Amino acid sequence: MSQPAKTRRQKLEEFVAAKPGDAFSRYGLAMECVNSGDAAAAEEHFRKLLASHPDYVAGYFHFGQLLAKLARTGEAREILSSGIAVAKKKGDDHARSEMETALNELA
């Protein structure tokens, strides 16, 4: 009998297990966890991503959005503010603008 096809998340988990320092795979896994409704796993992967790759701008934006959706507004503000600073440092005006908008929309 053939094995069932692996889910996207399973494939990403294998990539991350094989190369835990790969930022793109970790980000992809965090996003897949968000999309599948596993907020706890998404948070874990976003935290690991930003701890090992503090310049990964997209991680701040999507982690901040997740925290806002979970009504963790104070934490969302902190993450987005950090992301804005990183985006400014990297000259990523588009990401900075998106995060500033998200920050301003927090209640």
Side-chain angles (χ1 to χ4, degrees), residues 23-79:
F24 186 71
S25 295
R26 177 78 65 186
Y27 172 75
L29 179 54
M31 290 304 297
E32 187 62 26
C33 291
V34 167
N35 293 336
S36 67
D38 190 346
E43 178 176 355
E44 175 188 344
H45 292 296
F46 278 127
R47 290 198 185 281
K48 287 180 180 179
L49 169 68
L50 297 176
S52 59
H53 300 280
D55 61 342
Y56 204 89
V57 175
Y60 292 94
F61 178 63
H62 291 286
F63 188 23
Q65 284 189 317
L66 172 66
L67 292 168
K69 190 166 35 170
L70 297 172
R72 292 164 56 186
T73 308
E75 291 172 87
R77 284 185 199 284
E78 288 177 29
I79 292 295

